[in-house]
Amino acid sequence: GEQVEQRPPHLSVREGDSAVIICTYTDPNSYYFFWYKQEPGAGLQLLMKVFSSTEINEGQGFTVLLNKKDKQLSLNLTAAHPGDSAVYFCAVTTSSGQKLVFGQGTILKVYL
Amino acid sequence: DTTVKQNPRYKLARVGKPVNLICSQTMNHDTMYWYQKKPNQAPKLLLFYYDKILNREADTFEKFQSSRPNNSFCSLYIGSAGLEYSAMYLCASSSGWGGVDTQYFGPGTRLLVL
């Protein structure tokens, strides 16, 4: 079945620097991709939902790139700030559409 | 309102005792999910209800039960807790079924089995 590998598990960046989190998935027929952000004590909050036909997806302060050739999904935070400190999860819809498969999560710390 | 609530937020249980976790949503979503999350691991789907139909993952089929008395509530039941059940349990809901519609998550219940 679908497997998702998320890297790095921990990421520490200075305020104003960029941060990149990458997920590699195995099923080339996966067609929906998600990024979630989890702040302490809160549930996973949807950052962005991406369909397989769109390679570049712009959000507020971040960009999600989908590289179908390499089966990679990345979250690129531009000019990170302390409010971006959280755990980030990617998730991929299985080709059957039946469920989400998650990555292991990345703990991002943005320091001053 | 896209809130999913979970009770309790923390649960301490003894080995061999039952555990019941509760989730609620007011979005009138058709599907409610339960995931298990252990440190340094990905959230793992345990089961989901689509309307009144329960679907359990094959590898956890016998370990977890669930009920959905109405559209808003869903419980996760462990008949006899073991140490390996210590984890964060995440509840989610979505308007449709499966992995296509966005899932909205609750804050989780942290279960510690001693």
Side-chain angles (χ1 to χ4, degrees), chain A residues 4 6-9 21-23 33-39 42-48 64 73-75 86-92 100-108, chain B residues 36-44 88 90 105:
Chain A
V4 179
Q6 183 173 341
R7 288 286 180 265
I21 303 170
I22 296 175
C23 286
F33 305 84
F34 300 80
W35 280 104
Y36 282 91
K37 175 183 180 182
Q38 185 179 29
E39 296 179 345
L44 279 68
Q45 297 285 325
L46 180 70
L47 270 183
M48 185 170 279
V64 171
L73 177 76
S74 69
L75 173 66
V87 184
Y88 291 82
F89 292 93
C90 64
V92 179
L100 285 184
V101 178
F102 281 84
Q104 297 89 338
T106 295
I107 300 172
L108 173 65
Chain B
Q36 182 189 63
K37 170 79 173 72
K38 293 187 175 182
N40 303 316
Q41 295 183 21
K44 175 182 166 52
M88 178 74 84
L90 305 175
F105 284 81

Side-chain angles (χ1 to χ4, degrees), chain A residues 13-19 60-62 76-84 110:
Chain A
V13 301
R14 188 183 297 273
E15 184 180 23
D17 287 350
S18 63
Q60 193 163 3
F62 63 90
N76 301 263
L77 295 166
T78 51
H81 57 86
D84 291 328
V110 182

